[in-house]
């Protein structure tokens, strides 16, 4: 009996879906996103995909989902009206932050407004010592008074974060219980439920983000689950998290802060899995969609990960050096740099006469001017249409493109004011967009002491293959890899992910004086929590793999480095752990101190080990191979070359080796190969372009 898993990834312009059956066959669909209710596009695509694969809804065993609801809620500032209950005297922790600015000499920089207005930040008289001793218990009357105030002000969601609750959660849990009982209509997030970790600002910020996005993400996932049931799919819904793993929908509804960058990290997981399948261990994963472009590093076959992420305008990145530019979250995440330059990014001229591209996007509604559905502002897609890079229709013919509409938008709003012809203005839009996207790649390579020329650029997303070769030349990268169906590769990456859960326990002290009995007790307790949580979701204990890390830092430092440790510690492990820490520290910063090493936290990542997705074994019979059907169209590659008559080859029928210029075209994406480059196939049917 054929069974299948379906992966869905919602983008700003298109929603991508991939179906993988138990025979290794893949099928995909690409439908226009529905911003007013993102789940509508998912349901439309699922029905379309099952029809393409000739499968009944009963064959679906899992639905995997990546959503931008969390990130869009933050980006558009459309989250819940929030309150904060904290220890008296600490209501301004969110305002004070880290006392840093992302750009030291930018006198015009404005700090983002806190997600909780000061009026709704209430301090109460509880107190916990740094050793976890209750100095003052929670006063029920104070909690009720705060709750009545929030209720009268229309506050929808409340974060609770008390000083030192990471050492002893008693007061915080008591306050949460009182709140839930007295005010069941207000959403509650306690800091110990999302981040039981030292650092008052980081914990408060993470809890506030969770409270801010919780109502919107929970309601969305509930509607989506209901919609899936409505079309007959009773399979579990798993949501992609910021670390590239998967979690049950109820977990995402309770802890949405772990899912802010849902979906985006899945593409990087897929990149790592693809690299191991084809023997490429050093890759730059570049993903360009309709709204944003992102980059991440796969080095020596390993994904780059972080325990901290800051969501902000301009460029979002887990940088070790650029801090305080946005809303901070201490959650496990794939180390991805993202810029607001996608195919739908709007190009405009500022008051000084300079051309800018993004971060504002035309999205799916009203879309770029070439979509002909109401958009009038010029975008990157319009520039690519004008220059001949794109076909006459996208998404397998579902969306016809209006070339003249694109020319009018660029000509009237960009070319005429700049005194250029339409083609020159379109080239300018493309160059500015490429420069923006190169920032993201440099953020994960050059700014980390890594030379991008030593890596292969793996490009995917609906528009990544249109720009990848130009970006590679800008950065001196010699080879570009395009997977099969690059336009839906992020959804494919979800199929390579595993179900994961994360747990943490504070363990302050010094490494040389580590109480191994206490550490092992903490390890055993975390393991028990993990087994219990995942077994409740229906997973066998034998399928669960546990990985432990110890956060270490030099004495007096503020940031830690996680080091993997065994599941059972002894005194004999300490020299090895210290050496591993020194090696990791030198790799990050180029030197190591001789100071004592502090222990901070024990972390547990619990993974449900599933089937390893082998990209070389995947097959697809969705599209007919067209032999000897090469077409031609004029493409404007540069100001120097002008219009060039360029062969357009059907991606499914491509074989052998061809020298550019050429266009490889498929229903999900378009690969642009510039003049002078060579394009070939590898053994797994991936496209490789040599520059």
């Amino acid at each position: 009996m054929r069974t299948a898993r379906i992966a869905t990834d919602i983008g700003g312009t298109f929603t991508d879906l991939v179906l993988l059956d138990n025979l290794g066959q893949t099928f995909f669909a690409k439908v226009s996103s529905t911003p007013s209710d993102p789940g509508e596009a998912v349901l439309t695509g699922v029905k379309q995909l099952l029809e393409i694969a000739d499968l009944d809804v009963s064959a679906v065993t899992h639905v995997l989902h990546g959503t931008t609801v969390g990130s869009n809620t933050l980006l558009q500032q459309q989250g819940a009206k929030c309150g904060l209950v904290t220890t008296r005297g600490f209501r301004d922790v969110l305002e004070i932050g880290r006392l840093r600015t992302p750009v030291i000499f930018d006198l015009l920089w404005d700090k983002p407004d806190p997600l909780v207005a000061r009026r709704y930040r209430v301090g109460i008289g509880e107190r916990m010592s740094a050793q976890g001793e209750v100095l003052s218990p929670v006063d029920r009357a104070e909690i009720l008074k705060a709750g009545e105030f929030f209720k009268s002000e229309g506050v929808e969601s409340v974060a609770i974060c008390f000083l030192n609750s990471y050492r002893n959660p008693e007061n915080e849990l008591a306050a949460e219980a009182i709140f839930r009982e007295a005010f069941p209509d207000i959403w509650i997030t306690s800091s110990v439920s999302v981040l039981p970790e030292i650092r008052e600002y980081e914990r408060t910020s993470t809890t506030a983000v969770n409270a801010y996005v919780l109502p919107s993400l929970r309601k969305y996932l509930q509607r989506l689950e209901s919609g899936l049931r409505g079309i007959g799919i009773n399979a579990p819904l798993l949501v992609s998290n910021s670390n590239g793993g998967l979690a049950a929908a109820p977990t995402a509804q309770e802890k949405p802060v772990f899912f802010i960058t849902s979906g985006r990290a899945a593409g990087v997981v897929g990149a790592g899995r693809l690299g191991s399948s084809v023997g490429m261990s050093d890759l730059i994963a570049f993903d360009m969609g309709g709204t944003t472009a992102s980059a991440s590093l796969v080095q020596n076959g390993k994904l780059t990960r972080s325990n901290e992420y800051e969501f902000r305008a301009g460029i979002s990145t887990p940088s070790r050096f650029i801090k305080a530019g946005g809303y901070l979250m201490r959650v496990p995440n794939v180390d991805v740099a993202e810029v607001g330059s996608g195919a739908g990014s709007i190009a405009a001229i500022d008051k000084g006469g300079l051309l800018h591209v993004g971060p504002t996007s035309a999205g799916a509604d009203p879309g770029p001017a070439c979509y002909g559905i109401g958009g009038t502002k010029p975008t990157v897609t319009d520039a690519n249409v004008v220059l001949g890079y794109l076909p006459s229709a996208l998404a397998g013919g579902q969306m016809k493109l209006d070339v003249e509409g694109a020319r009018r938008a660029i000509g009237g709003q960009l070319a005429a004011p700049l005194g250029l012809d339409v083609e020159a203005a379109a080239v300018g839009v493309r160059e500015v967009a490429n420069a923006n996207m190169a920032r993201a790649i440099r953020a994960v390579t050059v700014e980390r002491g890594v030379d991008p020329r030593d890596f292969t650029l793996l490009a995917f997303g609906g528009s990544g293959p249109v720009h990848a070769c130009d970006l590679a030349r800008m950065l001196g990268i010699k080879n570009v890899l395009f997977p099969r169906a690059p336009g839906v590769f992020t959804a494919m990456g979800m199929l390579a992910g595993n179900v994961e859960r994360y747990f943490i326990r504070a363990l302050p002290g010094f490494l040389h004086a580590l109480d191994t009995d206490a550490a092992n007790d903490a390890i055993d307790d975390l393991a028990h929590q993990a087994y219990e949580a995942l077994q409740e979701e229906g997973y066998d204990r034998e399928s669960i793999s546990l990985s432990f890390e110890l956060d270490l830092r030099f004495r007096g430092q503020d940031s830690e480095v996680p080091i993997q440790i065994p599941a059972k510690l002894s005194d004999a492990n300490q020299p090895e752990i210290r050496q591993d820490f020194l090696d990791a520290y030198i790799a990050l910063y180029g030197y190591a101190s001789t100071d004592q090493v502090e222990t901070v936290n024990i972390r547990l990542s619990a993974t449900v080990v599933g089937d390893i997705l082998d990209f070389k074994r995947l097959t697809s019979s969705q599209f007919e191979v067209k032999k000897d059907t090469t077409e031609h169209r004029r493409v404007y590659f540069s100001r120097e070359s002008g219009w060039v008559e360029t062969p357009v080859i059907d991606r499914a029928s491509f074989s052998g080796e061809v020298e550019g210029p050429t266009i490889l075209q498929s229903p999900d994406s378009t690969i642009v190969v510039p003049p002078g480059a060579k394009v070939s196939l590898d053994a797994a049917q991936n496209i490789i372009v040599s520059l």
Side-chain angles (χ1 to χ4, degrees):
M1 177 181 173
R2 280 178 73 199
T3 60
R5 294 187 297 157
I6 296 177
T8 68
D9 176 48
I10 297 179
T13 306
F14 288 104
T15 294
D16 304 330
L17 301 98
V18 174
L19 182 148
L20 173 65
D21 69 15
N22 56 339
L23 304 177
Q25 297 181 101
T26 58
F27 303 87
F28 74 84
K30 207 172 180 72
V31 299
S32 294
S33 293
T34 49
S36 59
D37 183 2
E40 285 184 18
V42 174
L43 299 178
T44 300
V46 167
K47 289 186 284 188
Q48 181 178 319
L49 195 55
L50 288 172
E51 186 176 336
I52 293 170
D54 192 24
L55 277 171
D56 186 75
V57 290
S58 61
V60 180
T61 60
H62 292 89
V63 177
L64 318 180
H65 185 49
T67 174
T68 56
V69 170
S71 57
N72 286 345
T73 299
L74 277 176
L75 185 67
Q76 299 165 13
Q77 297 287 283
Q78 293 180 343
K81 187 175 184 179
C82 281
L84 171 67
V85 178
T86 189
T87 305
R88 184 169 294 139
F90 290 84
R91 66 187 292 211
D92 291 321
V93 163
L94 280 180
E95 206 92 44
I96 296 168
R98 282 172 155 170
L99 293 175
R100 294 184 182 181
T101 62
V103 183
I104 295 176
F105 300 108
D106 185 357
L107 301 180
L108 301 178
W109 177 74
D110 291 321
K111 178 182 281 191
D113 294 330
L115 296 177
V116 185
R118 192 172 194 271
R119 171 179 174 80
Y120 303 120
R121 303 198 295 260
V122 177
I124 67 168
E126 73 81 38
R127 196 65 183 228
M128 186 73 63
S129 75
Q131 288 71 40
E133 178 187 356
V134 178
L135 302 179
S136 299
V138 167
D139 185 336
R140 179 182 177 87
E142 280 194 286
I143 296 295
L144 295 176
K145 181 180 178 182
E148 291 293 348
F149 168 66
F150 291 145
K151 186 176 179 180
S152 67
E153 291 286 327
V155 169
E156 305 165 81
S157 186
V158 171
I160 302 176
C161 188
F162 291 158
L163 189 69
N164 296 324
S165 63
Y166 73 97
R167 290 301 302 269
N168 182 351
E170 181 179 332
N171 281 358
E172 203 167 281
L173 294 177
E176 181 183 4
I178 295 168
F179 235 110
R180 289 190 185 277
E181 178 188 359
F183 307 99
D185 295 332
I186 297 178
W187 308 95
I188 305 296
T189 300
S190 62
S191 74
V192 293
S193 69
V194 292
L195 188 69
E197 184 179 344
I198 194 172
R199 287 195 182 87
E200 204 62 20
Y201 165 66
E202 286 79 353
R203 187 155 50 88
T204 306
S205 177
T206 303
T207 310
V209 171
N210 197 84
Y212 187 73
V213 302
L214 189 151
S216 58
L217 191 60
R218 173 175 285 188
K219 291 173 184 175
Y220 164 72
L221 290 174
Q222 288 174 341
R223 286 198 308 271
L224 180 59
E225 283 189 297
S226 176
L228 290 169
R229 303 292 176 265
I231 62 174
I233 294 179
N234 296 309
L237 176 65
L238 301 178
V239 185
S240 173
N241 64 29
S242 300
N243 203 41
L246 300 164
T251 301
Q253 293 175 30
E254 290 293 331
K255 301 179 181 180
V257 70
F258 287 85
F259 301 83
I260 295 299
T261 56
S262 171
R264 188 190 62 186
V268 186
V269 172
R273 192 64 57 82
L274 175 63
S276 64
S277 295
V278 299
M280 292 186 178
S281 58
D282 293 324
L283 296 169
I284 298 169
F286 169 66
D287 178 8
M288 181 183 177
T291 306
T292 60
S294 61
S296 187
L297 208 62
V298 179
Q299 192 169 18
N300 297 322
K302 295 181 179 179
L303 276 61
T304 309
R305 287 190 160 97
S306 170
N307 287 318
E308 184 177 290
Y309 181 76
E310 198 167 65
F311 188 95
R312 57 193 174 93
I315 180 169
S316 293
T317 171
S319 172
R320 301 188 302 272
F321 309 112
I322 302 174
K323 304 290 185 184
Y327 302 114
L328 186 133
M329 293 159 276
R330 288 276 294 180
V331 295
N333 61 85
V334 173
D335 191 345
V336 177
E338 183 177 51
V339 293
S341 281
S345 295
I346 294 172
I349 300 171
D350 66 15
K351 294 179 181 179
L354 295 178
L355 176 65
H356 293 267
V357 178
T360 305
S361 173
D365 183 15
C370 62
Y371 284 9
I373 57 174
T376 58
K377 295 181 179 179
T379 66
V380 176
T381 295
D382 292 309
N384 286 331
V385 167
V386 166
L387 298 173
Y389 290 111
L390 298 180
S392 58
L394 299 178
Q398 294 182 61
M399 181 171 287
K400 304 295 182 183
L401 298 183
D402 179 3
V403 179
E404 288 306 313
R407 291 186 66 88
R408 281 194 303 272
I410 289 180
Q413 298 178 49
L414 302 178
L418 292 171
L420 301 172
D421 59 36
V422 174
E423 289 79 10
V427 169
V429 170
R430 211 177 134 82
E431 288 175 338
V432 172
N434 287 343
N436 290 341
M437 292 185 288
R439 290 176 60 206
I441 296 176
R442 291 190 180 101
V444 297
T445 54
V446 177
E447 292 179 16
R448 309 290 169 88
V450 174
D451 191 339
R453 295 173 295 184
D454 297 333
F455 288 73
T456 295
L457 184 66
L458 170 61
F460 52 95
S463 299
V466 181
H467 292 258
C469 289
D470 283 354
L471 284 170
R473 279 185 165 162
M474 288 176 65
L475 298 164
I477 298 171
K478 300 300 182 186
N479 295 299
V480 186
L481 177 67
F482 300 97
R484 289 190 292 182
V488 295
F489 187 77
T490 296
M492 183 71 77
M494 292 178 203
L495 296 166
N498 293 313
V499 172
E500 296 178 355
R501 292 289 293 272
Y502 312 105
F503 304 87
I504 188 170
R505 176 68 58 84
L507 192 72
F510 288 99
L511 181 61
H512 71 272
L514 178 66
D515 184 341
T516 53
D517 290 336
N520 285 325
D521 286 344
I523 287 172
D524 292 342
D525 186 49
L526 291 173
H528 176 73
Q529 291 181 49
Y531 285 130
E532 188 175 57
L534 287 170
Q535 284 175 322
E536 283 181 5
E537 295 178 13
Y539 299 104
D540 296 331
R541 185 184 179 104
E542 293 72 27
S543 67
I544 301 170
S545 172
L546 305 181
S547 176
F548 294 92
E549 290 181 330
L550 185 61
D551 285 347
L552 299 172
R553 65 188 183 193
F554 287 116
R555 181 176 185 174
Q557 285 191 326
D558 183 54
S559 58
E560 305 87 37
V561 177
I563 300 300
Q564 193 151 6
I565 59 172
K568 197 73 174 177
L569 287 171
S570 68
D571 292 341
N573 296 127
Q574 291 181 25
E576 182 182 353
I577 293 172
R578 178 183 171 85
Q579 188 58 51
D580 288 346
F581 167 69
L582 295 177
D583 292 343
Y585 197 93
I586 291 171
L588 283 172
Y589 301 106
Y591 76 101
S593 172
T594 57
D595 290 348
Q596 292 179 336
V597 176
E598 293 183 352
T599 62
V600 183
N601 304 302
I602 290 180
R603 297 181 186 274
L604 166 60
S605 175
T607 303
V608 178
V609 181
D611 294 333
I612 301 297
L613 183 65
D614 187 348
F615 280 90
K616 290 190 292 187
R617 291 187 167 188
L618 300 180
T619 62
S620 178
S621 57
Q622 184 171 351
F623 299 106
E624 179 185 356
V625 176
K626 302 172 184 177
K627 295 292 185 181
D628 303 322
T629 56
T630 302
E631 302 172 355
H632 288 80
R633 71 167 174 258
R634 295 199 313 153
V635 180
Y636 197 98
F637 284 98
S638 67
R639 297 180 183 86
E640 294 73 28
S641 67
W643 290 103
V644 178
E645 196 71 16
T646 303
V648 179
I649 304 172
D650 179 65
R651 166 70 173 84
S653 64
F654 176 74
S655 61
E657 184 174 304
V658 173
E659 186 166 335
T662 191
I663 303 287
L664 298 175
Q665 205 161 278
S666 61
D668 66 298
S669 189
T670 299
I671 299 173
V672 175
V673 182
K678 292 183 179 180
V679 56
S680 59
L681 279 175
D682 68 6
Q685 300 299 301
N686 301 299
I687 297 287
I688 297 179
V689 174
S690 301
L691 299 172

